[in-house]
Each structure stands twice: as C-alpha cells, then as structure tokens.
Amino acid sequence: VCVFTGRSEFIEKYFEVISDLRRRGFTVAALDWRGQGGSQRALRNRRKGHVDTFEQFDRDLAAFMETVVLLDCPPPFFALAHSMGGNILLRNAVRAPSWFDRQVLSAPMLQLTIPERRGPLVYGMAEALCLMGFADAFVPGGGATAAGTAPFPKNTLTSDPVRYRRSNRIIEVEPALGLGSPTISWLRAAGAAMAEVMDPDFPPRVQVPTLMIAAGGDLVVSSRAIETLAFRMKTGSHIVIPGARHELLMEQDKIREQFWAAFDAFVPGSPVF
C-alpha cells in the first residue's frame, strides 16, 4: 500500500495509519510531496505551500513509483490517499498502464467548500494575481502559522482531541515539518486540477477501481462533489461517514473503524496474527 498525504501533511503524521496497514499484512511505502514535510521547498520561506502546477506532483508520483516502489516493494500495489493526494491519484488513474490495482481516497480534493458560484471568481483572481507577479505570496488572509495547529475548539479537521494534539506535538518537536498557508500559485494550480477531475468527460476515463470515502461533516472539501464524481465513474464508488470531519484517518475510533471496515472490504489483505 502506497500512502499519499494531503496538503501540508508529512509522513510522520501517518505512523498510526502505517501501523494499521502493517497489521493487515501490507508492506507500506510513503512520500512527502515536494514543498512539504521533509522534502525540498521551492521558496526561501519554508512555510509557504507552493507549486506552479499539479503536474509537478505528477512527476513526484512517477519518480516515487519508478525509483522506490517498483524496485523495492512486492506487488500487487494499492493506494491510500488523502485530500490533495486523492486529487493527484485520480488524475493519474486515467493513464495506462496504471501502477495500482485499486485505490482508496479519503476525502479527496475535488472541490473546496467555497460557494460554487464564487469558484470562478476565486480562481480567476488567483490567475490575475499570478500574472501581476504575486504568485509566490500567501493567499489573502493566509500566513506562516503551521496548518493544523489552531486551538482544538477552532479546528475543522478532526473531532478527536488526542490525535489532533499528537499531530501538533510532532510539529513542536520538529518545526521544519510545519507548513503554512498555500501561495496564490498553489491556489491557481489546485483550481485547475480540481476542474480537470470534475469535467464531465473525465470520470469514464478512470481505469483504476476506486473507493472514495467522504466525511459527512467536512468543511474543507465538498462531499457533494465526491458523490457526483462517484456516480459518473464506471470504476468508482463512494461512502459517506456521518459526523466525520475532513481528516478521517485522524478521527475518533468509532469513525476510523468505519473507514477501515470499508477499506478491508475493498482492498484484499492478509491479516497478521
């Protein structure tokens, strides 16, 4: 199983998930996308989440698979991706041949939870600001404070205070892993990547059997968009976990248990006793 994180995340945050997969008998491989975690940054300010285009993430995926997974890991290969990672995996699932036999996407980033009518304005402004030379600037209202470190009552990621604090503690111990708000260039690139997967011509082209798991209480990405895409895919299905927030794998046990039950029913594994 290859684990692909969301925006601003890092491998260390997924140690519990990796342990869960190991107990199921899987070998696990993971990477930090460029510009976050322990990977190289594009800008001098390490807290800026920056990318010029999501095609750069596509190159990261290809390099990871070709130089790590195919060489050192036993097939068959499955993918478990969260949020931004889910977008990247979906966009690559239309290419033949695919690396993965099946993929599970946790709250994939298909649309952000901004009002649908405002989307064209937001991404149009991002495009204009990039052309005016502000591509490397934080998005308006953004800053260098590490994502996911707000006081727990204000967070929109998980309802589990213990797991939320645990993730914060990792950044406290190793501040270099923290990533702040995205840049305007990242927002423009994300808008283009989300528009690509939501194009009506895209879903029938997905060749990898895909299970998308949406969070019923998601305030980050649109669960409705996940449902819409799943209905259009020939190889896709989805479930919604009521009451869950965006980071399903960092949620309370009762929510994680539902996630893993769906995963186990979809991805064949060999439990280790």
Side-chain angles (χ1 to χ4, degrees):
V1 175
C2 298
V3 175
F4 301 100
T5 64
R7 195 203 81 82
S8 83
E9 295 187 307
F10 39 88
I11 293 171
E12 291 82 354
K13 181 176 176 178
Y14 279 74
F15 77 90
E16 184 180 20
V17 173
I18 292 170
S19 296
D20 292 335
L21 290 167
R22 293 288 291 150
R23 283 194 296 272
R24 285 166 167 77
F26 294 108
T27 297
V28 182
L31 87 159
D32 282 334
W33 300 111
R34 68 177 65 201
Q36 60 189 57
S39 292
Q40 186 175 2
R41 302 296 198 265
L43 304 178
R44 182 173 298 179
N45 185 341
R46 289 184 55 86
R47 285 293 175 93
K48 287 185 174 181
H50 180 80
V51 72
D52 296 320
T53 169
F54 270 38
E55 291 178 1
Q56 293 175 301
F57 292 135
D58 298 340
R59 293 198 288 272
D60 293 347
L61 173 61
F64 173 69
M65 296 303 297
E66 292 168 0
T67 64
V68 177
V69 178
L70 295 180
L71 295 181
D72 296 328
C73 301
F77 302 128
F78 306 101
L80 173 57
H82 176 63
S83 197
M84 184 186 81
N87 178 288
I88 297 166
L89 266 289
L90 263 180
R91 290 173 41 259
N92 280 270
V94 301
R95 303 175 182 181
S98 172
W99 286 298
F100 301 108
D101 288 61
R102 294 190 171 205
Q103 58 186 14
V104 177
L105 310 182
S106 162
M109 189 184 78
L110 310 183
Q111 285 183 358
L112 301 180
T113 54
I114 57 176
E116 191 169 345
R117 290 176 298 176
R118 291 186 57 195
L121 175 62
V122 169
Y123 301 120
M125 288 182 61
E127 178 69 30
L129 288 169
C130 286
L131 292 174
M132 294 169 61
F134 295 99
D136 295 354
F138 283 119
V139 294
T145 300
T149 59
F152 176 75
K154 296 183 179 181
N155 101 89
T156 60
L157 302 177
T158 175
S159 61
D160 188 314
V162 175
R163 288 189 173 94
Y164 185 75
R165 175 57 184 159
R166 184 181 66 190
S167 297
N168 287 353
R169 180 61 180 157
I170 296 173
I171 297 175
E172 290 174 4
V173 172
E174 186 49 70
L177 294 175
L179 192 70
S181 302
T183 63
I184 294 170
S185 177
W186 183 94
L187 180 61
R188 176 185 62 176
M194 289 185 285
E196 180 179 346
V197 297
M198 293 307 294
D199 186 298
D201 294 332
F202 178 86
R205 297 167 53 212
V206 176
Q207 302 182 33
V208 182
T210 301
L211 171 63
M212 294 184 284
I213 305 179
D218 205 326
L219 297 177
V220 179
V221 305
S222 170
S223 294
R224 182 177 180 181
I226 295 170
E227 179 181 27
T228 298
L229 185 69
F231 284 141
R232 293 174 178 172
M233 289 172 59
K234 295 179 180 179
T235 58
S237 60
H238 86 292
I239 66 169
V240 178
I241 300 180
R245 297 187 189 178
H246 181 59
E247 293 188 351
L248 288 153
L249 287 162
M250 307 298 160
E251 264 286 8
Q252 299 179 49
D253 288 344
K254 62 182 180 181
I255 292 171
R256 295 182 84 253
E257 288 167 2
Q258 294 177 68
F259 182 98
W260 285 118
F263 179 96
D264 292 338
F266 185 71
V267 177
S270 303
V272 174
F273 298 100

